[in-house]
Amino acid sequence: MKTLNLYGVKDIRFEDSPKPVIQKPDDVILKVKAVGICGSDISRYSKLGPYVKGMTFGHEFSGVVAEVGSGVTDFQPGDRVAACPTYVCGACESCKSGLPSQCEDLTVIGARHPGAYAEYVKLPSSHLLPIPDHLDFDTAALVEPSSVVAHGFYRSDLQPGEEVAVVGVGSIGLLAVQWAKIFGASKVYAIDIDHHKLKIAKELGADVLIHSSEAPPHEQIAQYTNGRGVDLAVECAGSPITSAQVFALPKKGGNVVFLGIPYADITIERLYFEKIVRNELSVYGSWNAVSAPFPGKEWQASIHYMSTGQIQTKPIISHRLELHKGPETFEKIINRELNSIKVLFYPEIGAHASTKPTGIMATSFS
């Protein structure tokens, strides 16, 4: 089968890999229908390299059950599913305490297990979640990032009627805007330097748009809140700059949740650091998307709200591509030659095409 495999920094290859086979009674082989590029994939490609050289990459996906192990009773070939790509050990102190997101050996497919930039991928049946017939595969491929965002909101103590600032409205931030509304936020401030992304944030429910290059975000928000600040600030940009600035956004006694990962050192100016202390902020890190019982309420909640239309993904998906365009797509993203938000690949379409470079198109397959 055709796959995208990561060999090193800026070295991802479209090539043949063995198709997965059933080895354990609870194994399920899935035909991948849609798989998205995660921000962490970009960081691995551009800066960090693979955990295992040549590993099949990718973890945000939806698919159809192709084959099941002898012990699988809840799923059968043809079932439409989303899937949790995360493995936890179940034996460490965190897992035993009901905190699998803090597992000592947490890993995700595409790291040490073959991932979903492939025609087929294998996971235990306990990782699968059925999706309703009316939920399209594109939307279902975003169940994983939606669950990541939901996990962060569940970490906070946000109450209905409170105000939320979302810092950075890429795909995670655009999902956060919608989750803030689901949690009952009365007003959502979307903060970014990209006018196009801010426009999409407005479409998805943001009440106030803050272009952070015009004035410091906390000064702009102060004008709307009579200097009070928001109840919760959610950092989604993963930028060293915004990871410091975010502390100036909440009110006294407010919350900060970090969803973004900067992959760089952060220098916090005294102005921002003192906000943590003087305003007695509660600061939450949020990692991955799993809770107990595995995989967690985040997953079912995401599927539910996607099914009802309260989480919209169509405006977030900017590019729909064949898998063989993977190497050039990653390169264009890091060179800022592709104005993308969420890129989806379709491994079954054009899987056996030539690996010669072709033009990238934002097109839809139906």
Side-chain angles (χ1 to χ4, degrees):
M1 66 173 181
K2 293 298 184 181
T3 57
L4 288 179
N5 300 332
L6 188 65
Y7 283 84
V9 174
K10 299 183 182 179
D11 185 3
I12 192 168
R13 306 176 193 177
F14 177 68
E15 58 188 6
D16 289 303
S17 296
K19 182 181 175 182
V21 297
I22 298 292
Q23 294 175 303
K24 300 177 182 178
D26 66 339
D27 280 346
V28 178
I29 296 174
L30 303 168
K31 183 177 181 62
V32 178
K33 302 295 286 188
V35 54
I37 296 180
C38 174
S40 65
D41 294 343
I42 299 299
S43 294
R44 282 277 152 201
Y45 172 78
S46 64
K47 301 176 183 178
L48 304 175
Y51 287 96
V52 178
K53 185 177 181 179
M55 180 60 68
T56 300
F57 213 21
H59 60 271
E60 300 179 357
F61 78 102
S62 61
V64 173
V65 174
E67 188 178 351
V68 300
S70 61
V72 177
T73 58
D74 294 340
F75 296 93
Q76 60 185 2
D79 286 349
R80 307 169 76 253
V81 297
C84 173
T86 307
Y87 284 88
V88 296
C89 72
C92 68
E93 182 178 345
S94 295
C95 286
K96 289 180 178 179
S97 299
L99 298 169
S101 61
Q102 299 174 25
C103 173
E104 297 291 341
D105 294 316
L106 186 148
T107 190
V108 177
I109 60 170
R112 297 180 177 87
H113 300 77
Y117 290 149
E119 293 178 75
Y120 295 90
V121 66
K122 181 172 69 174
L123 278 165
S125 61
S126 59
H127 292 232
L128 307 188
L129 301 108
I131 58 174
D133 290 340
H134 69 273
L135 192 66
D136 61 89
F137 289 114
D138 285 9
T139 298
L142 271 68
V143 168
E144 193 272 348
S146 173
S147 299
V148 167
V149 175
H151 186 77
F153 274 88
Y154 283 123
R155 294 273 291 149
S156 77
D157 62 4
L158 180 67
Q159 299 299 310
E162 295 185 335
E163 298 188 357
V164 177
V166 176
V167 184
V169 285
S171 59
I172 292 295
L174 292 171
L175 288 165
V177 166
Q178 297 177 81
W179 271 108
K181 288 294 187 176
I182 288 168
F183 268 71
S186 61
K187 186 176 289 185
V188 177
Y189 301 84
I191 303 170
D192 208 292
I193 58 173
D194 187 313
H195 286 292
H196 175 63
K197 291 178 181 177
L198 287 170
K199 180 180 178 182
I200 296 174
K202 183 71 172 180
E203 179 182 344
L204 293 174
D207 300 286
V208 178
L209 306 182
I210 303 291
H211 197 286
S212 53
S213 66
E214 296 174 359
H218 68 278
E219 293 182 3
Q220 296 189 59
I221 284 181
Q223 296 175 10
Y224 291 94
T225 62
N226 294 320
R228 171 178 170 273
V230 297
D231 299 279
L232 169 66
V234 186
E235 206 295 312
C236 301
S239 157
I241 295 172
T242 58
S243 294
Q245 292 177 340
V246 69
F247 295 120
L249 302 179
K251 67 175 186 178
K252 291 181 180 293
N255 287 201
V256 176
V257 171
F258 279 92
L259 292 176
I261 305 172
Y263 294 106
D265 291 338
I266 300 170
T267 300
I268 304 178
E269 296 175 29
R270 178 180 174 182
L271 166 68
Y272 299 124
F273 187 82
E274 285 198 346
K275 295 292 185 182
I276 304 172
V277 179
R278 293 180 182 273
N279 288 349
E280 295 192 331
L281 303 181
S282 295
V283 181
Y284 298 91
S286 182
W287 180 238
N288 210 272
V290 291
S291 59
F294 184 88
K297 58 184 177 290
E298 299 89 339
W299 300 83
Q300 292 294 352
S302 289
I303 292 172
H304 169 73
Y305 289 115
M306 287 174 168
S307 298
T308 63
Q310 288 167 272
I311 294 178
Q312 293 286 327
T313 62
K314 186 176 181 181
I316 300 174
I317 300 168
S318 58
H319 294 76
R320 296 169 167 87
L321 306 170
E322 298 171 5
L323 190 65
H324 71 89
K325 294 180 180 178
E328 62 182 284
T329 302
F330 273 86
E331 190 66 14
K332 285 179 178 289
I333 289 173
I334 67 167
N335 290 334
R336 301 185 184 278
E337 297 172 1
L338 191 68
N339 186 21
S340 62
I341 299 177
K342 177 59 67 178
V343 175
L344 292 184
F345 293 120
Y346 300 87
E348 67 180 346
I349 299 176
H352 301 285
S354 167
T355 58
K356 293 180 180 179
T358 57
I360 294 180
M361 299 177 63
T363 186
S364 177
F365 302 100
S366 58

